[in-house]
Structure formats: C-alpha cells, structure tokens
Amino acid sequence: MGKPAWIIAAEKYVGLHEVVGPKHNSTILGWLKKLKAWWAEDETPWCGAFVAECLTEAGVSKAKNWFRALDWKTYGREVSPQLGAILVFARQGGGHVGFYVGEDAHRYYVLGGNQGNSVSYAWIGKDRLAACRWPAEVPVPNTGRVKLAGNGQPSSTNEA
C-alpha cells in the first residue's frame, strides 16, 4: 500500500498560512464552511479542521467533534504509529492533532495544520502523545514505523 489518501490530500496544503489580523485565508475559511464550523476566521485553532478536511477529501469519516483536538482520542480505532495514523497530543491548555509521517528516538514527525500558523511538518515529543488512531472504515495496513534522523531540529511545544 502507498500513502493513505488523506496524506496525499494533506501534502498539497503544505505551506498554506493563516492570515494574521482582520483578513483570513480563504482556503481555511472554505474548510470551516464545508465542515459547518460555527466560526469563520483562521485565528481560532484549526488543527482539527485540517485533519477533518483531509479525511473528508479522502472520502473517510471524521471525528464527531473534529474541532476539539483532544476529542480525536476516541476516533476510529487505536493503532501503532505508522504512515497516516492520526496522532493526538496533549499540551498545557489543550491539545493538538496531526498525521504521523515519521519519528526519531524521542519525537514524532507530524504533518498538521496550525503548526506555526501553517500547514507544515513539525517534530513533537513522544512524551506528549495522548492517542494514535486510524479511521474505523479503512483497513489498517500495518506498514510499520518510519524512522527518520531528527538532524537537531527543535521540538514543538505549542503548535499554534
């Protein structure tokens, strides 16, 4: 099996940034409208919206409360980390959700939205992992972990 369809969807957005101030990124606003969010600006944390949008584009269900990062802890089924798994992280004041694309000894490499106010790749400490999930309707490929060299890049501590 190649990359999950939701990872292919996510990769096309890498580099997309929110707009600081009174204007907002039209792509993010489009996701929020399609997902029927009650807000229409890109200043509210949108990591869950990004994951929900990518899964939706791939024809896969999303978490009921997709807008709450920590609610992804009960989505689908539990799996071991592997390409495309949905990683849920705890942090002071909330959580973060994104897709597993690799790891080194101490961190996961995560493709996610609202990481530095953009869709990007970020290193996040393994000690923050709250759950590793997979869509219930998609067979788990069990492709195994993707080992990467961190090359001294810093870990994220607050994704927004």
Side-chain angles (χ1 to χ4, degrees), residues 67-136:
F67 45 88
R68 292 188 182 124
L70 292 176
D71 276 17
W72 287 88
K73 291 191 317 184
T74 59
Y75 170 78
R77 68 183 99 160
E78 185 176 356
V79 294
S80 297
Q82 59 187 296
L83 184 61
I86 297 157
L87 300 181
V88 184
F89 298 95
R91 66 173 168 80
Q92 184 72 20
H96 183 66
V97 62
F99 299 114
Y100 174 95
V101 293
E103 65 185 279
D104 68 10
H106 305 286
R107 305 170 299 174
Y108 293 113
Y109 201 45
V110 180
L111 171 54
N114 203 31
Q115 295 181 163
N117 296 328
S118 68
V119 175
S120 63
Y121 295 92
W123 288 101
I124 301 177
K126 288 182 176 181
D127 60 334
R128 291 183 46 206
L129 186 68
C132 183
R133 310 299 292 181
W134 193 266

Side-chain angles (χ1 to χ4, degrees), residues 13-18 28 46 50 96 112-121 159-160:
Y13 294 114
V14 171
L16 180 138
H17 285 267
E18 66 182 59
I28 297 170
W46 49 273
F50 174 72
H96 183 66
N114 203 31
Q115 295 181 163
N117 296 328
S118 68
V119 175
S120 63
Y121 295 92
E159 289 64 47

